[in-house]
Amino acid sequence: MHDEGQEEPISLYFWSTPNGFKISIMLEELGVPYRVEFVDIGKGEQFAPEFLAISPNNRIPAIVDPDGPDGQPLAIFESGAILQYLSRKFGALYPSSERAKAEVDQWLFWQVGGLGPMAGQCNHFRLYAPEKISYAIDRYTKEVERLFGVMEKRLSDRPFLAGTYSIADIASFPWARTWRTLAQDIAKFPNVERWLDAIAARPAVKKGLAVKKADSPRKQA
Ligand SMILES: N[C@@H](CCC(=O)N[C@@H](CS)C(=O)NCC(=O)O)C(=O)O
């Protein structure tokens, strides 16, 4: 796309997790200059005072745009807010009509309020909880299955969540692609599989997913 007006790179505070990949993919799609600041959430770097000044909820991703709307630096946390800001600033991956914006917003908020947190809990209870609590594993695995079913229906008559490729897809893709870890059977969701394949084939998505600190293990939320 274009990087007019973005002379200094945007700083991306990042770790290689689904929420982090949303923004590395977005920046690659936009083709704007950015610099990755790795925040190792496994080592607790998200609690460093310098990071909390940018992201008070101690979570990645966050960005600092040195060239904010008034020419001053602007820090933003929460992936949905970052995606909306970047799409507005660079005029891409977000439609211009109010009706189309409402479509994108619904699916963006569906991801940040639904798919993301439920998949995160599913991963936590399946992989990281010190005891295996079958009630919690069943609850979150079934909820993720229900959400995949919602996506499946939505994608049955359109190629992307809001019709054309948008920030709504960029938000959901990094989570949905982890269906194996989330114990989902992708054969039950052929439209989701087709959508995953189409997004995974995009060169910018490949580049965004390749961002990783050398020698770091990949961590899930
Ligand atoms: N709602 C947040 C969720 C961000 C999030 O959960 N980030 C995880 C990594 S995927 C994190 O930073 N975890 C660190 C921690 O929990 O201390 C967003 O969409 O940006």
Side-chain angles (χ1 to χ4, degrees), residues 34-175:
Y34 70 101
R35 171 174 55 218
V36 180
E37 305 285 352
F38 290 99
V39 179
D40 187 338
I41 61 173
K43 290 191 181 150
E45 291 176 1
Q46 69 273 36
F47 299 105
E50 315 81 70
F51 181 64
L52 290 174
I54 293 164
S55 183
N57 195 36
N58 63 263
R59 295 197 160 200
I60 63 94
I63 62 165
V64 175
D65 181 357
D67 177 27
D70 46 8
Q72 297 302 307
L74 175 63
I76 312 179
F77 71 102
E78 279 295 325
S79 61
I82 299 168
L83 289 171
Q84 286 187 326
Y85 172 76
L86 291 172
S87 63
R88 286 194 304 265
K89 176 165 183 177
F90 296 102
L93 299 163
Y94 193 53
S96 51
S97 86
E98 263 320 306
R99 181 170 291 278
K101 274 184 186 158
E103 293 281 316
V104 172
D105 289 348
Q106 289 170 70
W107 288 92
L108 179 65
F109 280 70
W110 176 84
Q111 191 289 317
V112 293
L115 181 64
M118 294 303 114
Q121 294 303 317
C122 182
N123 275 345
H124 176 79
F125 285 107
R126 298 191 75 85
L127 305 175
Y128 303 118
E131 7 160 3
K132 296 285 170 232
I133 305 165
S134 57
Y135 177 82
I137 291 173
D138 287 355
R139 175 179 165 84
Y140 290 111
T141 307
K142 284 197 179 117
E143 178 61 1
V144 171
E145 185 179 20
R146 186 189 70 79
L147 291 163
F148 268 61
V150 172
M151 262 194 297
E152 174 65 14
K153 191 163 176 213
R154 177 72 182 174
L155 292 167
S156 65
D157 59 356
R158 72 204 81 210
F160 296 102
L161 290 170
T164 52
Y165 183 60
S166 74
I167 55 174
D169 302 292
I170 293 176
S172 288
F173 169 78
W175 280 106

